[in-house]
Amino acid sequence: GKEGVLIKGSNYLEALSQTKTVVFDKTGTLTQGVFEVSAVHHSPMAQEKLLEYAALAECASSHPISKSLQKAAGGALDRSRVTDIQEHSGRGVTAVVDGVAVAAGNGKLMEELGVAWHECHSVGTIVHIRDSHIAVNGEYAGHIVISDVEKPHSRDAIAALKAAGVTKTVMLTGDIQKVADYVARDLGVDEVRAELLPADKVERVEELLKAEPEGAKLAFVGDGINDAPVLSRADIGIAMGAMGSDAAIEAADVVLMDDDPMKIAKAIKISRKCIRIVHENIVFSLGVKLLCLL
């Protein structure tokens, strides 16, 4: 209703009231999922050229990181300059731009291609670029730092969950460990699992479910299409934002109508209040019957 929380049945209401562990998918849930290019560290190639090549290589992808590269490169790109685009799941893309082989992705992709890449000391998602024009440093052209912005209420939301009796908060992300640890520390999350592919998230949730004490429930909060299998697997799947994907909303047991993570603690409090009222009603009605009987 007015709280913007949709619970799909009374059994989910009860399970929600018993939630002791809340697992978050980071992007779009605790962070805004809006990525911005925050730095470009380039080798011999000019910064504009590096951004342009990275954006062109990523031009076929609708991923938020790809979109941020396209925006930083100045928007409209001539896609006819790009051929042979290949996506490497969880690692990046390779393509031919202006007849030159280009790769844009994380350290794993660079290692697969045998490129000597440099570690970046900035906190963010790092997109490394390889360009076969350059013979310096094993064709390494530099890297681009992309930052995801935390939602303003995320830290308060984690504190509110603790206050509502949740004993453990866990964050899952495909991001590198350094970024994940930084965000988790900043928000006050208890545990973090990083560098995960979408399939790994189900495994991590399975592990956490096995570790749950008797009678305690685990809730998973996500917003994307990749989250649908995890939403189904958790005791309670919470889809955040009616703007989230249809698949996530379909797979979820609880749907939060906006993107405010504070709503999670609110939903748990509402469920506990409802269950308490149900128990009070049962006790009251049994008491009345007992009095009549006497």
Side-chain angles (χ1 to χ4, degrees), residues 21-274:
T21 301
V22 179
V23 182
F24 294 91
D25 182 60
K26 178 178 82 75
T27 307
T29 306
L30 293 171
T31 63
Q32 291 177 6
V34 178
F35 291 85
E36 292 168 357
V37 170
S38 51
V40 181
H41 303 146
H42 49 100
S43 294
M45 186 184 270
Q47 178 172 321
E48 295 74 25
K49 193 86 171 157
L50 188 72
L51 268 171
E52 185 188 20
Y53 269 33
L56 283 163
E58 297 261 11
C59 71
S61 174
S62 59
H63 193 283
I65 287 177
S66 306
K67 284 181 178 169
S68 70
L69 286 170
Q70 289 162 40
K71 190 176 161 193
L77 298 163
D78 179 5
R79 291 192 176 202
S80 65
R81 294 168 60 189
V82 194
T83 55
D84 294 342
I85 297 171
Q86 287 184 324
E87 290 221 24
H88 302 260
S89 178
R91 301 188 300 284
V93 294
T94 52
V96 174
V97 180
D98 298 340
V100 176
V102 173
N106 57 22
K108 286 177 191 166
L109 181 66
M110 294 296 118
E111 278 162 22
E112 280 173 27
L113 298 170
V115 175
W117 55 283
H118 307 318
E119 193 64 70
C120 181
H121 299 298
S122 304
V123 172
T125 300
I126 315 296
V127 179
H128 298 279
I129 313 298
R130 181 200 80 160
D131 169 23
S132 62
H133 259 158
I134 302 167
V136 182
N137 296 337
E139 306 173 350
Y140 186 63
H143 52 255
I144 298 164
V145 185
I146 296 165
S147 303
D148 188 6
V149 186
E150 287 171 14
K151 286 186 183 174
H153 293 151
S154 289
R155 190 184 302 180
D156 295 340
I158 300 293
L161 284 171
K162 296 266 167 70
V166 169
T167 52
K168 183 155 77 169
T169 52
V170 184
M171 187 178 83
L172 307 181
T173 177
D175 261 349
I176 59 167
Q177 194 73 47
K178 185 166 77 172
V179 178
D181 288 341
Y182 177 84
V183 174
R185 256 198 321 273
D186 202 39
L187 299 180
V189 175
D190 299 324
E191 270 183 45
V192 61
R193 314 282 169 93
E195 298 179 36
L196 302 175
L197 295 172
D200 299 334
K201 290 178 184 175
V202 180
E203 283 176 30
R204 294 295 92 79
V205 167
E206 293 272 7
E207 287 167 15
L208 290 161
L209 282 166
K210 283 185 189 133
E212 279 291 288
E214 193 68 38
K217 300 289 186 212
L218 178 143
F220 175 83
V221 190
D223 78 327
I225 194 150
N226 289 334
D227 299 333
V230 205
L231 286 164
S232 309
R233 186 63 199 91
D235 293 321
I236 290 282
I238 302 175
M240 181 177 276
M243 300 305 289
S245 76
D246 292 345
I249 290 169
E250 189 64 38
D253 310 310
V254 177
V255 180
L256 306 179
M257 299 313 283
D258 64 28
D259 285 333
D260 185 357
M262 287 298 283
K263 285 270 164 76
I264 305 159
K266 192 169 270 184
I268 291 172
K269 281 178 184 161
I270 290 167
S271 70
R272 291 199 178 141
K273 191 176 179 183
C274 287

